[in-house]
Amino acid sequence: MRKSLKHDAMNHRSNALFGMDFHKFIEKEHMMSNNELAEEFGVSLEAVKKLKQRLMR
C-alpha cells in the first residue's frame, strides 16, 4: 500500500506531543531539568510542565 506525504505527516504528528518527540522526552527527562528540556526541544517551560502532568509523573 502506498503512503502519501499527508499520511507521513499525520504519523509524525501523532508521535509528537506539544511539538516534541515523546520517546526522546522520556529518555531525557530523568537526566535534565525542566529548563534544559525546554531548551533542548525548543518549546516553552509551560509545555514541558504540561507534558509531565499528562505523564502523571
Side-chain angles (χ1 to χ4, degrees):
M1 183 177 199
R2 292 186 183 187
K3 290 185 179 181
S4 67
L5 291 176
K6 282 187 177 182
H7 184 74
D8 289 339
M10 292 300 289
N11 282 340
H12 180 66
R13 275 191 226 139
S14 66
N15 291 337
L17 185 62
F18 294 109
M20 61 183 100
D21 187 13
F22 180 72
H23 296 289
K24 288 182 182 177
F25 182 83
I26 295 292
E27 290 174 359
K28 294 183 178 186
E29 77 170 320
H30 301 291
M31 299 178 286
M32 301 173 111
S33 70
N34 287 352
N35 290 333
E36 291 171 334
L37 287 169
E39 289 179 10
E40 176 77 20
F41 292 103
V43 296
S44 67
L45 185 58
E46 183 178 330
V48 172
K49 289 178 183 177
K50 285 182 181 179
L51 182 57
K52 283 192 172 191
Q53 287 176 352
R54 283 235 170 141
L55 294 172
M56 293 186 217
R57 295 181 180 216

Tab-separated table of all heavy atoms in Angstrom:
chain	number	residue	atom	x	y	z
A	1	MET	N	0.834	-1.173	0.000
A	1	MET	CA	0.000	0.000	0.000
A	1	MET	C	0.884	1.244	0.000
A	1	MET	O	1.861	1.333	0.731
A	1	MET	CB	-0.885	-0.027	1.237
A	1	MET	CG	-1.843	1.100	1.315
A	1	MET	SD	-2.851	0.860	2.800
A	1	MET	CE	-4.187	1.883	2.391
A	2	ARG	N	0.524	2.203	-0.799
A	2	ARG	CA	1.323	3.422	-0.911
A	2	ARG	C	0.971	4.414	0.187
A	2	ARG	O	-0.160	4.492	0.642
A	2	ARG	CB	1.075	4.083	-2.256
A	2	ARG	CG	1.606	3.293	-3.406
A	2	ARG	CD	1.442	4.067	-4.667
A	2	ARG	NE	1.894	3.279	-5.786
A	2	ARG	CZ	1.985	3.744	-6.995
A	2	ARG	NH1	1.636	4.990	-7.259
A	2	ARG	NH2	2.408	2.975	-7.962
A	3	LYS	N	1.974	5.162	0.566
A	3	LYS	CA	1.773	6.219	1.550
A	3	LYS	C	1.971	7.561	0.871
A	3	LYS	O	2.867	7.725	0.049
A	3	LYS	CB	2.778	6.106	2.693
A	3	LYS	CG	2.569	4.949	3.598
A	3	LYS	CD	3.565	5.034	4.735
A	3	LYS	CE	3.382	3.900	5.692
A	3	LYS	NZ	4.341	3.995	6.809
A	4	SER	N	1.159	8.501	1.234
A	4	SER	CA	1.315	9.844	0.702
A	4	SER	C	2.067	10.705	1.716
A	4	SER	O	2.302	10.305	2.852
A	4	SER	CB	-0.052	10.464	0.420
A	4	SER	OG	-0.743	10.667	1.634
A	5	LEU	N	2.424	11.892	1.302
A	5	LEU	CA	3.105	12.813	2.205
A	5	LEU	C	2.196	13.210	3.361
A	5	LEU	O	2.653	13.393	4.484
A	5	LEU	CB	3.553	14.060	1.445
A	5	LEU	CG	4.677	13.846	0.433
A	5	LEU	CD1	4.962	15.136	-0.321
A	5	LEU	CD2	5.929	13.357	1.118
A	6	LYS	N	0.890	13.334	3.082
A	6	LYS	CA	-0.053	13.677	4.156
A	6	LYS	C	-0.083	12.569	5.202
A	6	LYS	O	-0.146	12.837	6.403
A	6	LYS	CB	-1.449	13.899	3.600
A	6	LYS	CG	-1.650	15.221	2.937
A	6	LYS	CD	-3.108	15.414	2.568
A	6	LYS	CE	-3.333	16.766	1.961
A	6	LYS	NZ	-4.751	16.969	1.650
A	7	HIS	N	-0.054	11.335	4.750
A	7	HIS	CA	-0.083	10.203	5.678
A	7	HIS	C	1.167	10.207	6.559
A	7	HIS	O	1.083	10.003	7.769
A	7	HIS	CB	-0.181	8.896	4.896
A	7	HIS	CG	-0.324	7.678	5.757
A	7	HIS	ND1	-1.498	7.380	6.403
A	7	HIS	CD2	0.554	6.717	6.090
A	7	HIS	CE1	-1.323	6.270	7.102
A	7	HIS	NE2	-0.083	5.850	6.923
A	8	ASP	N	2.307	10.469	5.966
A	8	ASP	CA	3.548	10.548	6.736
A	8	ASP	C	3.507	11.692	7.745
A	8	ASP	O	3.960	11.552	8.874
A	8	ASP	CB	4.752	10.728	5.814
A	8	ASP	CG	5.066	9.472	5.033
A	8	ASP	OD1	4.646	8.378	5.467
A	8	ASP	OD2	5.724	9.579	3.983
A	9	ALA	N	2.951	12.828	7.322
A	9	ALA	CA	2.853	13.979	8.221
A	9	ALA	C	1.927	13.676	9.392
A	9	ALA	O	2.197	14.063	10.528
A	9	ALA	CB	2.361	15.199	7.467
A	10	MET	N	0.842	12.985	9.154
A	10	MET	CA	-0.088	12.627	10.223
A	10	MET	C	0.572	11.667	11.211
A	10	MET	O	0.374	11.778	12.416
A	10	MET	CB	-1.362	12.006	9.655
A	10	MET	CG	-2.215	12.974	8.884
A	10	MET	SD	-2.785	14.366	9.863
A	10	MET	CE	-3.960	13.555	10.907
A	11	ASN	N	1.338	10.719	10.714
A	11	ASN	CA	2.043	9.794	11.604
A	11	ASN	C	3.065	10.528	12.458
A	11	ASN	O	3.227	10.230	13.630
A	11	ASN	CB	2.736	8.690	10.811
A	11	ASN	CG	1.785	7.617	10.364
A	11	ASN	OD1	0.701	7.464	10.921
A	11	ASN	ND2	2.169	6.879	9.354
A	12	HIS	N	3.746	11.479	11.866
A	12	HIS	CA	4.745	12.239	12.613
A	12	HIS	C	4.080	13.067	13.710
A	12	HIS	O	4.578	13.156	14.815
A	12	HIS	CB	5.549	13.139	11.686
A	12	HIS	CG	6.580	13.950	12.389
A	12	HIS	ND1	7.671	13.377	13.004
A	12	HIS	CD2	6.671	15.276	12.616
A	12	HIS	CE1	8.393	14.327	13.574
A	12	HIS	NE2	7.803	15.487	13.352
A	13	ARG	N	2.926	13.676	13.391
A	13	ARG	CA	2.219	14.480	14.387
A	13	ARG	C	1.706	13.627	15.530
A	13	ARG	O	1.668	14.065	16.664
A	13	ARG	CB	1.044	15.210	13.740
A	13	ARG	CG	1.448	16.493	13.111
A	13	ARG	CD	0.230	17.295	12.738
A	13	ARG	NE	0.452	17.776	11.397
A	13	ARG	CZ	-0.450	17.827	10.452
A	13	ARG	NH1	-1.668	17.455	10.684
A	13	ARG	NH2	-0.139	18.274	9.275
A	14	SER	N	1.286	12.404	15.237
A	14	SER	CA	0.759	11.559	16.301
A	14	SER	C	1.858	11.118	17.267
A	14	SER	O	1.579	10.814	18.412
A	14	SER	CB	0.052	10.337	15.722
A	14	SER	OG	0.963	9.497	15.062
A	15	ASN	N	3.100	11.084	16.800
A	15	ASN	CA	4.220	10.711	17.666
A	15	ASN	C	4.743	11.898	18.469
A	15	ASN	O	5.518	11.720	19.386
A	15	ASN	CB	5.362	10.125	16.837
A	15	ASN	CG	5.008	8.781	16.271
A	15	ASN	OD1	4.140	8.091	16.784
A	15	ASN	ND2	5.660	8.407	15.193
A	16	ALA	N	4.334	13.082	18.107
A	16	ALA	CA	4.806	14.277	18.795
A	16	ALA	C	3.677	14.869	19.629
A	16	ALA	O	2.543	14.943	19.197
A	16	ALA	CB	5.299	15.303	17.776
A	17	LEU	N	4.007	15.249	20.832
A	17	LEU	CA	3.036	15.858	21.723
A	17	LEU	C	3.610	17.180	22.182
A	17	LEU	O	4.761	17.239	22.614
A	17	LEU	CB	2.775	14.944	22.909
A	17	LEU	CG	1.712	15.338	23.902
A	17	LEU	CD1	0.348	15.393	23.210
A	17	LEU	CD2	1.650	14.329	25.030
A	18	PHE	N	2.835	18.241	22.075
A	18	PHE	CA	3.302	19.585	22.412
A	18	PHE	C	4.511	19.978	21.576
A	18	PHE	O	5.383	20.700	22.030
A	18	PHE	CB	3.642	19.716	23.898
A	18	PHE	CG	2.454	19.591	24.805
A	18	PHE	CD1	2.288	18.475	25.587
A	18	PHE	CD2	1.518	20.592	24.846
A	18	PHE	CE1	1.199	18.362	26.413
A	18	PHE	CE2	0.418	20.484	25.670
A	18	PHE	CZ	0.257	19.372	26.459
A	19	GLY	N	4.608	19.465	20.379
A	19	GLY	CA	5.693	19.838	19.486
A	19	GLY	C	7.013	19.168	19.769
A	19	GLY	O	8.043	19.594	19.289
A	20	MET	N	7.013	18.113	20.568
A	20	MET	CA	8.265	17.407	20.853
A	20	MET	C	8.064	15.907	20.726
A	20	MET	O	6.957	15.419	20.853
A	20	MET	CB	8.803	17.773	22.233
A	20	MET	CG	7.914	17.437	23.393
A	20	MET	SD	8.610	18.000	24.944
A	20	MET	CE	7.692	19.487	25.186
A	21	ASP	N	9.117	15.209	20.447
A	21	ASP	CA	9.061	13.760	20.294
A	21	ASP	C	8.930	13.106	21.666
A	21	ASP	O	9.767	13.289	22.539
A	21	ASP	CB	10.314	13.253	19.580
A	21	ASP	CG	10.233	11.779	19.234
A	21	ASP	OD1	9.139	11.207	19.317
A	21	ASP	OD2	11.277	11.216	18.868
A	22	PHE	N	7.873	12.357	21.838
A	22	PHE	CA	7.538	11.738	23.121
A	22	PHE	C	8.630	10.806	23.617
A	22	PHE	O	9.024	10.852	24.779
A	22	PHE	CB	6.216	10.994	22.969
A	22	PHE	CG	5.743	10.313	24.212
A	22	PHE	CD1	5.260	11.045	25.280
A	22	PHE	CD2	5.782	8.941	24.317
A	22	PHE	CE1	4.820	10.422	26.426
A	22	PHE	CE2	5.345	8.303	25.460
A	22	PHE	CZ	4.863	9.049	26.515
A	23	HIS	N	9.153	9.959	22.741
A	23	HIS	CA	10.156	8.972	23.158
A	23	HIS	C	11.463	9.629	23.586
A	23	HIS	O	12.081	9.226	24.566
A	23	HIS	CB	10.403	7.955	22.047
A	23	HIS	CG	9.192	7.133	21.746
A	23	HIS	ND1	8.716	6.177	22.615
A	23	HIS	CD2	8.337	7.138	20.698
A	23	HIS	CE1	7.631	5.624	22.110
A	23	HIS	NE2	7.377	6.189	20.949
A	24	LYS	N	11.881	10.639	22.856
A	24	LYS	CA	13.108	11.348	23.237
A	24	LYS	C	12.920	12.072	24.561
A	24	LYS	O	13.832	12.154	25.362
A	24	LYS	CB	13.512	12.340	22.147
A	24	LYS	CG	14.058	11.679	20.916
A	24	LYS	CD	14.486	12.700	19.901
A	24	LYS	CE	14.975	12.028	18.647
A	24	LYS	NZ	15.337	13.011	17.615
A	25	PHE	N	11.708	12.600	24.772
A	25	PHE	CA	11.421	13.291	26.028
A	25	PHE	C	11.535	12.336	27.209
A	25	PHE	O	12.132	12.667	28.225
A	25	PHE	CB	10.021	13.906	25.984
A	25	PHE	CG	9.669	14.680	27.212
A	25	PHE	CD1	10.074	15.995	27.354
A	25	PHE	CD2	8.939	14.096	28.233
A	25	PHE	CE1	9.757	16.718	28.491
A	25	PHE	CE2	8.614	14.810	29.376
A	25	PHE	CZ	9.023	16.123	29.505
A	26	ILE	N	10.978	11.141	27.070
A	26	ILE	CA	11.025	10.138	28.137
A	26	ILE	C	12.475	9.771	28.459
A	26	ILE	O	12.856	9.635	29.624
A	26	ILE	CB	10.235	8.871	27.748
A	26	ILE	CG1	8.759	9.176	27.592
A	26	ILE	CG2	10.451	7.756	28.755
A	26	ILE	CD1	8.059	9.539	28.875
A	27	GLU	N	13.298	9.623	27.429
A	27	GLU	CA	14.690	9.253	27.638
A	27	GLU	C	15.462	10.339	28.397
A	27	GLU	O	16.301	10.037	29.241
A	27	GLU	CB	15.384	9.028	26.295
A	27	GLU	CG	14.918	7.797	25.562
A	27	GLU	CD	15.522	7.698	24.173
A	27	GLU	OE1	16.299	8.603	23.769
A	27	GLU	OE2	15.207	6.723	23.484
A	28	LYS	N	15.175	11.590	28.103
A	28	LYS	CA	15.980	12.679	28.642
A	28	LYS	C	15.417	13.307	29.907
A	28	LYS	O	16.123	14.037	30.592
A	28	LYS	CB	16.137	13.762	27.578
A	28	LYS	CG	16.950	13.282	26.398
A	28	LYS	CD	17.152	14.364	25.387
A	28	LYS	CE	18.010	13.831	24.249
A	28	LYS	NZ	18.363	14.878	23.304
A	29	GLU	N	14.147	13.032	30.251
A	29	GLU	CA	13.548	13.742	31.377
A	29	GLU	C	14.200	13.414	32.710
A	29	GLU	O	14.172	14.225	33.622
A	29	GLU	CB	12.044	13.484	31.449
A	29	GLU	CG	11.669	12.145	32.017
A	29	GLU	CD	10.179	12.035	32.290
A	29	GLU	OE1	9.576	12.996	32.768
A	29	GLU	OE2	9.650	10.961	32.013
A	30	HIS	N	14.801	12.239	32.845
A	30	HIS	CA	15.433	11.866	34.108
A	30	HIS	C	16.788	12.539	34.294
A	30	HIS	O	17.240	12.699	35.418
A	30	HIS	CB	15.614	10.346	34.174
A	30	HIS	CG	14.328	9.611	34.057
A	30	HIS	ND1	13.369	9.638	35.034
A	30	HIS	CD2	13.817	8.849	33.070
A	30	HIS	CE1	12.334	8.909	34.663
A	30	HIS	NE2	12.578	8.420	33.468
A	31	MET	N	17.413	12.926	33.193
A	31	MET	CA	18.760	13.485	33.258
A	31	MET	C	18.799	15.010	33.238
A	31	MET	O	19.815	15.596	33.571
A	31	MET	CB	19.581	12.968	32.076
A	31	MET	CG	19.754	11.468	32.052
A	31	MET	SD	20.670	10.916	30.617
A	31	MET	CE	19.456	11.117	29.325
A	32	MET	N	17.691	15.648	32.828
A	32	MET	CA	17.709	17.092	32.623
A	32	MET	C	16.631	17.780	33.449
A	32	MET	O	15.615	17.184	33.770
A	32	MET	CB	17.477	17.409	31.143
A	32	MET	CG	18.484	16.801	30.201
A	32	MET	SD	18.018	17.054	28.496
A	32	MET	CE	19.264	18.175	27.982
A	33	SER	N	16.865	19.051	33.749
A	33	SER	CA	15.857	19.848	34.448
A	33	SER	C	14.804	20.323	33.440
A	33	SER	O	14.976	20.184	32.231
A	33	SER	CB	16.517	21.048	35.112
A	33	SER	OG	16.947	21.968	34.134
A	34	ASN	N	13.727	20.925	33.954
A	34	ASN	CA	12.664	21.419	33.075
A	34	ASN	C	13.175	22.494	32.119
A	34	ASN	O	12.807	22.519	30.946
A	34	ASN	CB	11.506	21.977	33.907
A	34	ASN	CG	10.702	20.895	34.574
A	34	ASN	OD1	10.896	19.705	34.327
A	34	ASN	ND2	9.784	21.290	35.431
A	35	ASN	N	14.032	23.371	32.616
A	35	ASN	CA	14.589	24.426	31.759
A	35	ASN	C	15.444	23.835	30.640
A	35	ASN	O	15.373	24.281	29.493
A	35	ASN	CB	15.418	25.409	32.577
A	35	ASN	CG	14.569	26.257	33.488
A	35	ASN	OD1	13.395	26.497	33.206
A	35	ASN	ND2	15.150	26.706	34.573
A	36	GLU	N	16.260	22.865	30.971
A	36	GLU	CA	17.106	22.224	29.959
A	36	GLU	C	16.259	21.479	28.927
A	36	GLU	O	16.567	21.507	27.736
A	36	GLU	CB	18.073	21.254	30.625
A	36	GLU	CG	19.143	21.923	31.459
A	36	GLU	CD	19.968	20.949	32.275
A	36	GLU	OE1	19.476	19.855	32.611
A	36	GLU	OE2	21.127	21.289	32.565
A	37	LEU	N	15.197	20.820	29.372
A	37	LEU	CA	14.311	20.125	28.434
A	37	LEU	C	13.635	21.107	27.492
A	37	LEU	O	13.519	20.840	26.287
A	37	LEU	CB	13.251	19.319	29.198
A	37	LEU	CG	13.732	18.066	29.893
A	37	LEU	CD1	12.650	17.522	30.823
A	37	LEU	CD2	14.124	17.007	28.887
A	38	ALA	N	13.186	22.238	28.013
A	38	ALA	CA	12.538	23.248	27.173
A	38	ALA	C	13.500	23.769	26.110
A	38	ALA	O	13.121	23.923	24.947
A	38	ALA	CB	12.035	24.396	28.048
A	39	GLU	N	14.746	24.002	26.490
A	39	GLU	CA	15.745	24.465	25.525
A	39	GLU	C	16.078	23.382	24.507
A	39	GLU	O	16.235	23.663	23.321
A	39	GLU	CB	17.019	24.902	26.248
A	39	GLU	CG	16.864	26.186	27.024
A	39	GLU	CD	18.130	26.577	27.758
A	39	GLU	OE1	19.185	25.961	27.516
A	39	GLU	OE2	18.054	27.499	28.584
A	40	GLU	N	16.189	22.147	24.956
A	40	GLU	CA	16.539	21.025	24.075
A	40	GLU	C	15.507	20.819	22.976
A	40	GLU	O	15.841	20.597	21.819
A	40	GLU	CB	16.681	19.755	24.913
A	40	GLU	CG	16.956	18.501	24.119
A	40	GLU	CD	18.392	18.382	23.646
A	40	GLU	OE1	19.269	19.042	24.222
A	40	GLU	OE2	18.622	17.618	22.699
A	41	PHE	N	14.229	20.901	23.342
A	41	PHE	CA	13.161	20.622	22.378
A	41	PHE	C	12.594	21.881	21.740
A	41	PHE	O	11.727	21.798	20.880
A	41	PHE	CB	12.044	19.830	23.061
A	41	PHE	CG	12.466	18.433	23.430
A	41	PHE	CD1	12.782	18.115	24.736
A	41	PHE	CD2	12.568	17.449	22.465
A	41	PHE	CE1	13.180	16.830	25.081
A	41	PHE	CE2	12.966	16.171	22.793
A	41	PHE	CZ	13.274	15.865	24.101
A	42	GLY	N	13.057	23.043	22.159
A	42	GLY	CA	12.615	24.290	21.544
A	42	GLY	C	11.175	24.635	21.856
A	42	GLY	O	10.482	25.184	20.994
A	43	VAL	N	10.724	24.302	23.044
A	43	VAL	CA	9.362	24.624	23.464
A	43	VAL	C	9.423	25.451	24.746
A	43	VAL	O	10.476	25.617	25.338
A	43	VAL	CB	8.516	23.349	23.693
A	43	VAL	CG1	8.343	22.574	22.398
A	43	VAL	CG2	9.122	22.467	24.752
A	44	SER	N	8.255	25.920	25.171
A	44	SER	CA	8.217	26.723	26.386
A	44	SER	C	8.293	25.836	27.627
A	44	SER	O	8.034	24.639	27.572
A	44	SER	CB	6.934	27.553	26.427
A	44	SER	OG	5.816	26.705	26.575
A	45	LEU	N	8.635	26.458	28.726
A	45	LEU	CA	8.698	25.751	30.000
A	45	LEU	C	7.316	25.236	30.393
A	45	LEU	O	7.187	24.147	30.951
A	45	LEU	CB	9.256	26.682	31.078
A	45	LEU	CG	9.503	26.100	32.449
A	45	LEU	CD1	10.472	24.926	32.369
A	45	LEU	CD2	10.056	27.159	33.370
A	46	GLU	N	6.288	25.986	30.051
A	46	GLU	CA	4.907	25.576	30.341
A	46	GLU	C	4.542	24.287	29.607
A	46	GLU	O	3.873	23.412	30.159
A	46	GLU	CB	3.950	26.694	29.933
A	46	GLU	CG	2.509	26.405	30.253
A	46	GLU	CD	1.598	27.555	29.867
A	46	GLU	OE1	2.044	28.712	29.902
A	46	GLU	OE2	0.440	27.275	29.524
A	47	ALA	N	5.004	24.129	28.363
A	47	ALA	CA	4.731	22.909	27.601
A	47	ALA	C	5.388	21.698	28.253
A	47	ALA	O	4.807	20.609	28.277
A	47	ALA	CB	5.214	23.061	26.165
A	48	VAL	N	6.586	21.876	28.791
A	48	VAL	CA	7.277	20.781	29.475
A	48	VAL	C	6.503	20.381	30.729
A	48	VAL	O	6.281	19.196	30.990
A	48	VAL	CB	8.728	21.181	29.840
A	48	VAL	CG1	9.382	20.139	30.724
A	48	VAL	CG2	9.551	21.388	28.580
A	49	LYS	N	6.042	21.371	31.482
A	49	LYS	CA	5.270	21.082	32.691
A	49	LYS	C	3.968	20.370	32.367
A	49	LYS	O	3.573	19.428	33.056
A	49	LYS	CB	4.998	22.373	33.455
A	49	LYS	CG	6.232	22.952	34.105
A	49	LYS	CD	5.927	24.253	34.818
A	49	LYS	CE	7.178	24.868	35.400
A	49	LYS	NZ	6.894	26.170	36.042
A	50	LYS	N	3.287	20.810	31.302
A	50	LYS	CA	2.028	20.167	30.904
A	50	LYS	C	2.251	18.724	30.479
A	50	LYS	O	1.455	17.844	30.796
A	50	LYS	CB	1.362	20.940	29.767
A	50	LYS	CG	0.701	22.209	30.207
A	50	LYS	CD	0.023	22.890	29.041
A	50	LYS	CE	-0.631	24.195	29.452
A	50	LYS	NZ	-1.275	24.854	28.303
A	51	LEU	N	3.332	18.486	29.762
A	51	LEU	CA	3.628	17.121	29.327
A	51	LEU	C	3.917	16.228	30.523
A	51	LEU	O	3.443	15.096	30.593
A	51	LEU	CB	4.800	17.095	28.355
A	51	LEU	CG	5.174	15.731	27.789
A	51	LEU	CD1	3.983	15.082	27.094
A	51	LEU	CD2	6.333	15.845	26.838
A	52	LYS	N	4.661	16.732	31.480
A	52	LYS	CA	4.933	15.938	32.691
A	52	LYS	C	3.658	15.626	33.463
A	52	LYS	O	3.489	14.538	34.006
A	52	LYS	CB	5.944	16.644	33.584
A	52	LYS	CG	7.359	16.516	33.078
A	52	LYS	CD	8.352	16.976	34.117
A	52	LYS	CE	9.742	16.652	33.658
A	52	LYS	NZ	10.719	16.844	34.711
A	53	GLN	N	2.741	16.592	33.500
A	53	GLN	CA	1.446	16.363	34.157
A	53	GLN	C	0.655	15.294	33.423
A	53	GLN	O	0.018	14.459	34.034
A	53	GLN	CB	0.643	17.641	34.231
A	53	GLN	CG	1.147	18.638	35.248
A	53	GLN	CD	0.381	19.942	35.214
A	53	GLN	OE1	-0.444	20.174	34.318
A	53	GLN	NE2	0.659	20.809	36.170
A	54	ARG	N	0.700	15.328	32.098
A	54	ARG	CA	-0.008	14.323	31.313
A	54	ARG	C	0.562	12.931	31.534
A	54	ARG	O	-0.141	11.945	31.479
A	54	ARG	CB	0.068	14.662	29.821
A	54	ARG	CG	-0.876	15.750	29.423
A	54	ARG	CD	-1.727	15.248	28.316
A	54	ARG	NE	-2.808	16.168	28.052
A	54	ARG	CZ	-3.239	16.450	26.852
A	54	ARG	NH1	-2.663	15.909	25.813
A	54	ARG	NH2	-4.243	17.269	26.712
A	55	LEU	N	1.855	12.868	31.755
A	55	LEU	CA	2.507	11.590	32.007
A	55	LEU	C	2.279	11.114	33.429
A	55	LEU	O	2.637	9.987	33.774
A	55	LEU	CB	4.010	11.691	31.744
A	55	LEU	CG	4.424	11.948	30.312
A	55	LEU	CD1	5.921	12.216	30.237
A	55	LEU	CD2	4.046	10.778	29.430
A	56	MET	N	1.706	11.995	34.268
A	56	MET	CA	1.418	11.698	35.675
A	56	MET	C	2.673	11.332	36.448
A	56	MET	O	2.730	10.305	37.124
A	56	MET	CB	0.371	10.614	35.813
A	56	MET	CG	-0.977	11.006	35.352
A	56	MET	SD	-2.130	9.719	35.710
A	56	MET	CE	-3.179	9.810	34.283
A	57	ARG	N	3.698	12.161	36.300
A	57	ARG	CA	4.955	11.918	36.995
A	57	ARG	C	5.229	13.018	37.939
A	57	ARG	O	5.044	14.119	37.770
A	57	ARG	CB	6.093	11.781	35.997
A	57	ARG	CG	5.881	10.559	35.164
A	57	ARG	CD	7.005	10.430	34.208
A	57	ARG	NE	6.739	9.228	33.421
A	57	ARG	CZ	7.652	8.435	33.006
A	57	ARG	NH1	8.898	8.647	33.257
A	57	ARG	NH2	7.359	7.393	32.287
